């Protein structure tokens, strides 16, 4: 399989850009942007006033940083991706890894440079995000090789993204109860349910690449059992906390998490043979995240702009 792009490509730079975007997984990019905007929305509920211009500028830096992180991850995942039959550009030989690495480095530098206009806290958050990405994918760390490393990076990156959005809007972080509860709940959903469901379809490729994930060590049955347990337990705990706090604004996100968790658990209740069906639990996890964020962003928009 070749990793070069022939000279007959008419618009190589445009094509390379599209391929890099595809490699960085647009669905994941959208999810991080929604986390950022959700943080800003939750901050607007407790802040006296916010800065939409600063929020937009900060969102640009965050998008570039996340793009750099996931594009570089695609470069380092090429062996596993090819074994698992991934159709991402690097795995199928359409995007040279060296070019993708250069684009990722450029995006990382641009994200830091742009964040300089936002102050030291914003710069620190962007740099922290880039460091987390490198710890996850790059040598000698490769934290992606172990489930514990994936959970730790996923949780931290998620929390950092929400608080980056809150800081961008309010110019500081006023951690109201609503912000703390939602950020913890959604981040645990990402770190626990996201990590386990993502490992399910990649089990064989991870084993071939020498990863020591929970799925590789204990097998498909144990992984499904873990997914079922965490998919049911986490929404139950979150719903109990929301009801105990009496915050009606979090009822809708809690209900969405319960529905998503129940669906994931039902999909994993029986053995799943290798193939497209193993990707369904992760797809439900992703859709649930989109709905969780919409349950916060849309009501806030309606409150702030009644004609929206």
């Amino acid at each position: 399989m070749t990793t070069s792009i022939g000279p007959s490509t008419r618009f190589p730079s445009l094509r390379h850009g599209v391929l890099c975007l595809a490699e960085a997984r647009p669905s994941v990019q959208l999810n991080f942007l929604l986390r950022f905007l959700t943080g800003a929305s939750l901050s607007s509920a407790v802040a006296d006033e916010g800065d939409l211009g600063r929020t937009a500028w900060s969102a640009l830096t965050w998008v570039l940083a996340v793009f750099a992180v996931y594009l570089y991850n695609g470069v380092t995942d090429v062996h596993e991706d090819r074994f698992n039959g991934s159709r991402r550009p690097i795995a199928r030989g359409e995007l040279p890894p060296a070019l993708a690495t250069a684009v990722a480095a450029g995006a990382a530098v641009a994200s830091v440079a742009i964040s300089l206009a936002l102050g030291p806290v914003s710069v620190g958050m962007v740099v922290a995000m880039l460091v987390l990405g490198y710890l996850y994918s790059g040598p000698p760390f490769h934290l992606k090789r172990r489930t514990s490393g994936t959970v730790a990076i996923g949780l931290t990156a998620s929390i950092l993204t929400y608080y980056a959005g809150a800081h961008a809007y309010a110019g500081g972080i006023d951690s109201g109860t609503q912000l703390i509860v939602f950020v913890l709940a959604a981040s645990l959903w990402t770190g626990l349910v996201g990590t386990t469901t993502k490992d399910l379809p990649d089990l064989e490729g991870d084993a071939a690449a020498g990863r020591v994930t929970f799925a590789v060590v204990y097998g498909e049955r144990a992984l499904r059992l873990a997914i079922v347990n965490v998919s049911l337990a986490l929404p139950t705990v979150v719903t109990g906390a929301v009801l105990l706090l009496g915050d009606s604004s979090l009822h809708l996100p809690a209900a969405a998490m319960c529905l998503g968790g129940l669906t994931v658990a039902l999909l994993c209740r029986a053995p799943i043979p290798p193939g497209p069906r193993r990707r369904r639990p992760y797809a439900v996890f992703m859709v649930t995240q989109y709905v969780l964020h919409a349950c916060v962003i849309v009501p806030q928009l309606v409150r702030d702009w009644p004609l929206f």
Side-chain angles (χ1 to χ4, degrees), residues 198-249:
K198 181 180 181 298
D199 282 349
L200 187 59
D202 296 339
L203 196 159
E204 289 77 17
D206 288 348
R211 293 191 181 187
V212 194
T213 64
F214 180 90
V216 171
V217 174
Y218 296 104
E220 186 261 0
R221 183 178 182 279
L223 178 63
R224 285 191 297 102
L225 182 60
I227 291 172
V228 170
N229 287 335
V230 75
S231 297
L232 294 177
L234 179 60
T236 301
V237 172
V238 169
T239 301
V242 168
L243 293 175
L244 184 63
L245 291 170
D247 191 339
S248 60
S249 64

Side-chain angles (χ1 to χ4, degrees), residues 108-295:
V109 171
S111 67
V112 175
I114 296 174
S115 70
L116 292 174
L118 299 169
V121 175
S122 294
V123 175
M125 287 184 173
V126 170
V127 171
M129 186 66 183
L130 295 172
V131 170
L132 288 172
Y134 189 80
L135 290 174
Y136 181 74
S137 300
F141 310 101
H142 297 296
L143 295 184
K144 64 183 180 180
R145 291 178 177 172
R146 295 183 179 273
T147 298
S148 58
T150 302
V151 171
I153 294 295
L155 273 170
T156 307
S158 179
I159 292 172
L160 186 62
T161 301
Y162 289 116
Y163 277 96
H167 181 270
Y169 181 82
I173 299 176
D174 186 357
S175 297
T177 302
Q178 186 185 30
L179 178 62
I180 294 174
V181 171
F182 182 90
V183 168
L184 287 177
S187 297
L188 286 169
W189 176 261
T190 298
L192 299 179
V193 181
T195 296
T196 50
T197 54
K198 181 180 181 298
D199 282 349
L200 187 59
D202 296 339
L203 196 159
E204 289 77 17
D206 288 348
R211 293 191 181 187
V212 194
T213 64
F214 180 90
V216 171
V217 174
Y218 296 104
E220 186 261 0
R221 183 178 182 279
L223 178 63
R224 285 191 297 102
L225 182 60
I227 291 172
V228 170
N229 287 335
V230 75
S231 297
L232 294 177
L234 179 60
T236 301
V237 172
V238 169
T239 301
V242 168
L243 293 175
L244 184 63
L245 291 170
D247 191 339
S248 60
S249 64
L250 294 177
H251 287 176
L252 197 56
M257 184 179 286
C258 286
L259 180 59
L262 179 60
T263 305
V264 170
L266 289 173
L267 289 172
C268 294
R269 73 190 186 283
I272 308 174
R277 283 181 57 196
R278 280 194 182 176
R279 299 193 176 277
R280 292 177 184 172
Y282 182 71
V284 173
F285 154 77
M286 289 291 288
V287 170
T288 302
Q289 284 203 109
Y290 296 146
V291 175
L292 282 176
H293 297 133
C295 286

